[in-house]
Amino acid sequence: MGIADDEELCKVYKLIEEGVPSQAREILSQLLEYNFANSEINFAHWCCSYWADFITRISKFDPYEQGEALIARWKSFRQDYELQKNFSKKVLYPMQKGIFTLALHAYDSLKFEGTGVQRAELCRKKGLCLKKLGEYESALNLLTEAYRLSSQSAPVLAEMADCFALCGEDKNAKVLFREAFFIDAQRVEIDFLDSELICCLIRQVKEKGYSGSALQEWIPVYGVLYGVFNVKRELRVQEAARLRQEIFAKENEIKDPSNDSKILIPKLINMYFWLIDHYAHSNEGSSKINECLLQIRVHDENIYRMYTK
């Protein structure tokens, strides 16, 4: 590939960053005529083809729908590009910048209306876009506002944790990740998490054969076992009482064979981990801790051995 082709590729990447992959694809089609075996050009052409018509199609949507469509499409794109043989990270950075810049512009054109939860979700989406653009401080400002509006939102807490981890503030990240997966593991959007702190844990749990909803529930369990979720906060008295009630309800649910034990077992184990920490901090006696350990052992002998070794 000559100097002229390198210059054309620079134009391509600039166009991709600007969110116009259709124009970039035209240049790439010409480059492929003389560089048909070049993996970088082939992958760039595939990426632009993936997005070009889609971006044209959603231009007729209202701004909020545009933002939602772009983010949903990115999730599919991430799963699909990893299957490409000529995968090139050099192409992905400008593509990510272009797509999330478009999404951010769409969200920015909206007014902060609706309920507190709806405003929190808009702040979260804008924070996600800024995080993907590498603007972590600005992202945290928006995510903090989202937290103020909806403090029990697992997606908000997870995004805050991810930003803290990307900034090297692992202590804050660990406590917030642990909290997010405790509140509602199913609602944590793991496909948008970027920090190595959580991505390494997710890979390790995937390697054990878990996927889908079960994967989401096992992440906090192994987060404790592998020492990732080792920064903890104490439960308030009301929270501990509510947790015991939830555990009782889940134990009854798991007795019903029509319920999915693959989801309930890791959820229960994580609840027991929290309750054990509460008993340990409140000095309520070893007997209650032993009761929790016995229940963990009943549900999963291997997890019990890993936890107590």
Side-chain angles (χ1 to χ4, degrees):
M1 195 165 67
I3 294 174
D5 291 339
D6 287 336
E7 291 175 350
E8 290 296 284
L9 262 184
C10 287
K11 291 180 185 177
V12 164
Y13 290 142
K14 189 172 188 301
L15 288 168
I16 292 174
E17 285 187 1
E18 292 171 352
V20 282
S22 56
Q23 294 181 33
R25 181 173 58 178
E26 293 177 9
I27 298 174
L28 289 164
S29 295
Q30 296 173 6
L31 288 174
L32 278 174
E33 292 181 13
Y34 306 100
N35 302 277
F36 58 87
N38 185 290
S39 60
E40 182 182 341
I41 294 175
N42 272 283
F43 183 63
H45 187 272
W46 178 85
C47 288
C48 289
S49 297
Y50 194 100
W51 286 100
D53 296 336
F54 176 80
I55 289 173
T56 301
R57 188 164 64 250
I58 67 168
S59 63
K60 300 175 183 177
F61 295 1
D62 69 48
Y64 183 77
E65 290 176 332
Q66 286 182 34
E68 294 294 281
L70 287 163
I71 287 179
R73 179 76 167 177
W74 183 265
K75 183 175 179 179
S76 301
F77 174 64
R78 177 176 175 175
Q79 295 167 352
D80 291 341
Y81 73 61
E82 291 177 348
L83 301 176
Q84 297 298 307
K85 294 180 180 178
N86 54 352
F87 179 102
S88 172
K89 289 185 177 181
K90 189 175 180 180
V91 181
L92 292 176
Y93 175 75
M95 186 60 69
Q96 177 170 301
K97 185 174 181 180
I99 297 305
F100 283 96
T101 297
L102 287 175
L104 181 61
H105 287 165
Y107 289 128
D108 270 340
S109 66
L110 299 168
K111 294 181 180 179
F112 282 86
E113 297 175 345
T115 66
V117 172
Q118 290 170 327
R119 294 199 303 274
E121 184 63 4
L122 181 57
C123 283
R124 182 181 76 84
K125 291 289 176 61
K126 291 171 69 173
L128 167 63
C129 292
L130 285 166
K131 183 192 76 174
K132 289 291 187 180
L133 296 172
E135 299 179 30
Y136 304 135
E137 186 174 341
S138 297
L140 272 172
N141 288 337
L142 276 167
L143 292 167
T144 300
E145 175 63 13
Y147 175 76
R148 186 187 67 79
L149 294 165
S150 183
S151 62
Q152 291 299 298
S153 169
V156 169
L157 287 167
E159 285 299 335
M160 288 180 71
D162 204 35
C163 278
F164 276 122
L166 289 165
C167 292
E169 298 184 38
D170 284 359
K171 184 176 181 180
N172 287 335
K174 288 181 175 185
V175 72
L176 290 176
F177 272 132
R178 184 172 181 261
E179 191 82 19
F181 280 96
F182 177 62
I183 291 172
D184 193 343
Q186 297 298 323
R187 293 197 63 221
V188 176
E189 298 190 49
I190 62 174
D191 289 312
F192 294 102
L193 300 177
D194 296 326
S195 62
E196 189 59 21
L197 175 72
I198 194 68
C199 288
C200 180
L201 174 60
I202 293 169
R203 286 195 300 270
Q204 288 175 313
V205 180
K206 283 182 177 180
E207 287 169 3
K208 291 185 173 295
Y210 297 112
S211 61
S213 296
L215 169 67
Q216 303 273 139
E217 299 294 347
W218 280 110
I219 287 169
V221 173
Y222 282 98
V224 171
L225 297 175
Y226 293 161
V228 180
F229 292 180
N230 59 355
V231 182
K232 305 170 183 180
R233 72 163 180 87
E234 172 57 9
L235 291 174
R236 294 183 288 273
V237 174
Q238 300 92 329
E239 288 179 306
R242 187 166 61 249
L243 177 57
R244 283 190 286 263
Q245 291 175 348
E246 290 176 357
I247 288 174
F248 180 78
K250 288 288 184 291
E251 287 287 4
N252 284 327
E253 283 182 40
I254 210 167
K255 293 174 184 176
D256 185 343
S258 65
N259 290 324
D260 192 351
S261 62
K262 293 180 180 178
I263 304 298
L264 287 172
I265 287 175
K267 187 185 289 289
L268 259 171
I269 291 172
N270 189 43
M271 288 180 172
Y272 279 121
F273 284 170
W274 275 78
L275 193 55
I276 288 171
D277 289 337
H278 169 70
Y279 288 146
H281 281 95
S282 57
N283 298 315
E284 292 194 35
S286 60
S287 61
K288 291 185 177 181
I289 292 177
N290 288 334
E291 287 174 10
C292 293
L293 291 173
L294 177 61
Q295 288 303 111
I296 292 173
R297 189 171 193 173
V298 167
H299 292 306
D300 194 307
E301 176 77 20
N302 185 51
I303 296 298
Y304 166 80
R305 291 185 182 281
M306 290 178 69
Y307 187 69
T308 56
K309 69 178 182 180

